[in-house]
Amino acid sequence: MAANEEDSALVKLELACSDLRTLLLSSAKLEKDLEEMEKKFDSIDEKLSTAAKRVAPLQSLAMAAKALETRINRAVSPALGLLHSFKLSESFQKKLIELSDKLSIEKNPRKRLKNLLKYVQCVDQLNEVINLISRDGEPVIQKLQEVVEFLSRTKATDQYRTQRLKETLITLKALYESEVDAMRFDGLLDEALLNLQDEFEIMLQQMKHQNIGEQQADEEADQTLVSDLGTEMEVQVLRRIAETLSASDCLDICIDIFVKVRYRRAAKALMRLNPDYLRTYTPEEIDEMQWQSLETSISLWIQHFELAVKTVFVSEKKLCKQVLGGLPEVLIWLECFVKIADKIMAVFFRFGEGVARSNREPQKLFKLLEMFDSLEKLKLEFTEIFEGESGADICIRFRELEKLLVHASSKVFWEFGLQIEGTSDFFAPPQDGSVPKLARYAVNYLKYLTTETYSAPMAKVFRTEQMWKAGILSKPETDESLLKDAISNIMEALQRNIESKSPSYKDKILPHIFVMNTYWYIYMRSRNTELGKLIGEQYMKQKYKSAAEESAYMYQWRAWRPLVRLLEKEDSEEQDNGTKATAVVRGKLEAFFNSFDEISQRHARGYSIPDADLREQLREATVKLVVPVYSEFLNAHSKLLSGESYVSPESLKGLVGQVFNGTDRTSNGKPKRRDSKDTVPGRNSVSVEGELKNFRRSRSKSIDA
């Protein structure tokens, strides 16, 4: 068993030795192979080194050739591009000629606009190419010349190629020097730009303001229509032309054309309104105008000013922005618009300033307020239209005109009050005690002023003046309070005028008739109106109605009370015998009717009570005063007057009514027939003189008997 194990170990050892021998043999072979490879590598390295030494000059030549190629390409490629640009300019010029021919024969407006747009695009392309040639020509020629000089100096190529390159340089340089300026200033581009200027002007002239004359009749500002002056296609073409002219150093020409043409168009549109009144604008010339003519002129000025701002200038501003808004100078379109509007607005401003500086006549107040109110309503829109620094001067003049109107309106109002107070020394009251023209004018003036149309502007004038005087930080009164105080001052001036004139009558009754008529007129014309509401209905009653009633009482006391006293009973009448008593009674009746006749004549020839309602009240009061006393007198002496013919109380009532209902005074002092509206219905029409004559005739017959 042990022997077997030894044999097995021995076999394994032999095998291991055999493997080791094999490995040693392989290692020796590998070492030999490595030595051979090293020898081969040394041989290859030696060969490569030899080859590198041989190739080195060729490598230097290749690098030099590459550098020369790069240098030549840097000069030749731009030169080829320049030549290509010359070819493009030639093709664009041919295209311009074709489009120009089409434009000259095309009659359809829309097709013509499309061709014109193509024409503008072609001009832009030609201009761009010429600018490219002008910009790149000199650097390209300079580079090409440097290459030619380098080749000539280094002889890097053959003489033939160098000579051809020199000839190309000379030709290109001559072409550049001779053609570029001609293309820019004397060629088809210049002609095309002139054509575009003409087209620009023609198209602007064709854009008209429509229906300006018809809009004059439209009094409501909200109905004023703002229409586009051109179609979308027309605006697009104009915009492209403006941009092309601007890019071609023709911006000034473009702006001059635009401003000149559009100013004429705007002015011509407004001239269709026939504003001949604008030729009269100095204060002296305006003072010489007839009032009716001036009133009409101011009304037209208000309408035309609003129409110009809301319609004409809005359209013009829109067109300016559409056409010139895309130019590099961002705000140039605003400046152009202001130039268009400036001269036209100056004409409107100078007329308004002339009116504000003219004489301050009372009737001008309402037109001044209308002008001021129209400017106030336009203020916001006006500042929006004339925005920015370019429109500052026009806005300043607008505000100055407003200031002038505020001052003028205030002066006219306060001077009117002074005129009322000052006329007391120069004008006598009406001879018949009727309402003076000044009172009629003043009341109707103030009634008109307190209407909705004028009260708000007038109050704003007062408030503005108060703010100017007291400062912005002051607390102004309400509009109603300011207006009430101002008008109350005028009413008080009128009252002082009336009170100062009433004592100038020599007749003792006329002052009461005068005051009664005037205060009654003021009260009746003011009640239930805006004037009465502003001052206060209760105040009007206390101030004017009460004064009129007091004067009516004094009139009755002075005029009719003496008549009644003639019939009052005396103690001596009871002591007289029958014959003597009858004579006394008849004498009283005679004196009564003589006095009645005198009073009637005074009323017919010297007294005037124009208000029908006031006459009716006076008639009723007088009938109540006279007729009962007369009736009582007849009843008391009926026995003494038995068989006598006398005026009955009913007839006397009719006679009294006739005094108040028959005639009135005309301006020349002669009696005139009452109009039907002044006649009291159902009144006895018997004449005073006829009744009194009948009474005297019957009395004389009884005496004769």
Side-chain angles (χ1 to χ4, degrees), residues 586-632:
R586 288 175 177 172
K588 283 191 173 186
L589 283 177
E590 180 74 21
F592 176 84
F593 282 105
N594 284 337
S595 180
F596 188 89
D597 186 31
E598 182 184 351
I599 294 172
S600 300
Q601 292 298 324
R602 282 188 182 182
H603 279 77
R605 297 176 184 175
Y607 301 160
S608 174
I609 305 172
D611 188 87
D613 183 55
L614 180 60
R615 285 199 312 272
E616 177 61 16
Q617 293 184 48
L618 289 173
R619 183 195 67 77
E620 292 177 357
T622 304
V623 167
K624 289 179 181 179
L625 176 66
V626 175
V627 174
V629 174
Y630 178 75
S631 178
E632 184 181 350

Side-chain angles (χ1 to χ4, degrees), residues 405-643:
L405 291 172
V406 167
H407 283 302
S409 301
S410 178
K411 289 286 186 183
V412 169
F413 180 85
W414 294 119
E415 287 182 11
F416 176 60
L418 294 175
Q419 289 172 7
I420 290 175
E421 206 151 1
T423 55
S424 57
D425 298 330
F426 300 101
F427 298 98
Q431 295 179 359
D432 56 1
S434 59
V435 183
K437 291 182 179 178
L438 178 62
R440 294 176 184 272
Y441 183 83
V443 171
N444 287 301
Y445 189 91
L446 295 178
K447 277 177 60 180
Y448 201 46
L449 185 61
T450 52
T451 57
E452 185 179 356
T453 304
Y454 299 105
S455 59
M458 189 75 252
K460 193 161 191 177
V461 165
F462 291 142
R463 187 173 71 251
T464 304
E465 269 213 326
Q466 188 185 56
M467 290 176 63
W468 287 346
K469 292 177 181 178
I472 300 176
L473 298 178
S474 62
K475 294 182 180 179
E477 301 177 38
T478 62
D479 288 359
E480 184 177 353
S481 177
L482 287 169
L483 190 61
K484 180 179 178 180
D485 291 344
I487 289 180
S488 295
N489 287 332
I490 301 294
M491 296 290 284
E492 289 172 5
L494 180 61
Q495 185 177 358
R496 289 192 292 270
N497 180 281
I498 295 166
E499 296 296 338
S500 66
K501 286 183 177 180
S502 59
S504 61
Y505 287 104
K506 294 180 179 179
D507 188 308
K508 294 182 179 180
I509 300 173
L510 273 174
H512 305 298
I513 294 177
F514 169 72
V515 174
M516 173 188 68
N517 279 331
T518 306
Y519 284 153
W520 186 259
Y521 178 88
I522 294 174
Y523 171 70
M524 293 300 291
R525 292 298 182 277
S526 302
R527 69 172 186 170
N528 299 326
T529 65
E530 296 299 327
L531 174 60
K533 292 176 183 177
L534 180 67
I535 297 179
E537 296 288 352
Q538 194 63 32
Y539 176 84
M540 294 296 294
K541 286 182 181 180
Q542 294 174 357
K543 191 80 170 177
Y544 299 104
K545 186 181 181 184
S546 297
E549 290 172 346
E550 183 179 347
S551 296
Y553 175 78
M554 292 304 299
Y555 151 76
Q556 196 174 47
W557 182 268
R558 290 280 188 180
W560 297 100
R561 186 64 183 169
L563 181 67
V564 173
R565 285 201 194 98
L566 293 174
L567 299 181
E568 289 180 351
K569 187 176 181 180
E570 298 178 2
D571 295 338
S572 59
E573 290 182 18
E574 297 179 356
Q575 299 173 2
D576 293 338
N577 55 30
T579 305
K580 190 175 181 180
T582 302
V584 171
V585 170
R586 288 175 177 172
K588 283 191 173 186
L589 283 177
E590 180 74 21
F592 176 84
F593 282 105
N594 284 337
S595 180
F596 188 89
D597 186 31
E598 182 184 351
I599 294 172
S600 300
Q601 292 298 324
R602 282 188 182 182
H603 279 77
R605 297 176 184 175
Y607 301 160
S608 174
I609 305 172
D611 188 87
D613 183 55
L614 180 60
R615 285 199 312 272
E616 177 61 16
Q617 293 184 48
L618 289 173
R619 183 195 67 77
E620 292 177 357
T622 304
V623 167
K624 289 179 181 179
L625 176 66
V626 175
V627 174
V629 174
Y630 178 75
S631 178
E632 184 181 350
F633 181 83
L634 292 181
N635 291 334
H637 302 92
S638 58
K639 293 180 180 180
L640 297 175
L641 296 174
S642 60

Side-chain angles (χ1 to χ4, degrees), residues 199-391:
E199 293 288 345
F200 192 65
E201 184 172 356
I202 291 170
M203 288 184 67
L204 288 172
Q205 285 177 341
Q206 291 173 346
M207 292 181 173
K208 301 178 181 179
H209 294 272
Q210 303 296 328
N211 305 322
I212 292 296
E214 289 78 356
Q215 289 182 13
Q216 183 183 8
D218 185 6
E219 296 181 357
E220 296 186 11
D222 293 340
Q223 295 180 359
T224 304
L225 300 176
V226 179
S227 57
D228 291 335
L229 294 174
T231 63
E232 186 177 349
M233 175 68 78
E234 289 172 333
V235 170
Q236 182 185 0
V237 172
L238 284 171
R239 185 183 182 94
R240 288 296 306 276
I241 292 176
E243 291 172 352
T244 299
L245 293 176
S246 175
S248 303
D249 296 328
C250 297
L251 179 60
D252 292 341
I253 297 174
C254 172
I255 290 172
D256 288 342
I257 293 172
F258 190 93
V259 172
K260 177 187 69 175
V261 175
R262 292 319 307 167
Y263 164 73
R264 289 177 180 174
R265 269 292 156 213
K268 196 169 184 179
L270 293 171
M271 286 300 292
R272 292 206 296 269
L273 303 173
N274 299 319
D276 295 335
Y277 63 90
L278 292 175
R279 296 175 181 173
T280 304
Y281 56 87
T282 65
E284 295 76 18
E285 290 174 330
I286 289 173
D287 288 336
E288 293 175 0
M289 292 177 67
Q290 295 291 330
W291 168 244
Q292 187 175 4
S293 176
L294 178 59
E295 189 177 23
T296 303
S297 297
I298 294 173
S299 298
L300 289 175
W301 180 88
I302 293 170
Q303 294 177 23
H304 295 171
F305 190 94
E306 184 176 355
L307 185 65
V309 172
K310 287 191 170 184
T311 303
V312 176
F313 292 144
V314 168
S315 298
E316 290 294 341
K317 184 179 181 181
K318 184 176 181 181
L319 183 64
C320 280
K321 188 172 184 179
Q322 288 174 331
V323 175
L324 305 176
L327 298 181
E329 295 78 359
V330 180
L331 298 178
I332 193 71
W333 68 272
L334 265 178
E335 295 176 8
C336 290
F337 165 66
V338 171
K339 288 179 181 178
I340 293 168
D342 184 55
K343 291 182 180 179
I344 298 174
M345 289 307 305
V347 175
F348 280 106
F349 283 141
R350 72 182 185 184
F351 177 84
E353 292 163 356
V355 172
R357 291 190 173 104
S358 61
N359 288 339
R360 298 183 178 98
E361 300 169 351
Q363 67 270 21
K364 277 186 184 174
L365 176 61
F366 302 103
K367 304 313 291 183
L368 290 171
L369 290 176
E370 288 177 16
M371 293 171 71
F372 173 71
D373 190 44
S374 69
L375 293 185
E376 278 293 297
K377 291 176 180 176
L378 279 174
K379 182 185 289 185
L380 181 60
E381 192 166 357
F382 192 91
T383 53
E384 289 177 355
I385 292 172
F386 296 98
E387 60 183 315
E389 186 178 350
S390 55

Side-chain angles (χ1 to χ4, degrees), residues 103 106-121 199 203 206-207 230-238 240-241:
L103 283 173
E106 185 61 65
K107 300 300 180 184
N108 186 287
R110 186 165 184 81
K111 289 182 179 179
R112 194 175 190 282
L113 284 175
K114 289 182 178 179
N115 287 331
L116 184 57
L117 191 59
K118 292 178 182 178
Y119 187 83
V120 175
Q121 291 172 346
E199 293 288 345
M203 288 184 67
Q206 291 173 346
M207 292 181 173
T231 63
E232 186 177 349
M233 175 68 78
E234 289 172 333
V235 170
Q236 182 185 0
V237 172
L238 284 171
R240 288 296 306 276
I241 292 176

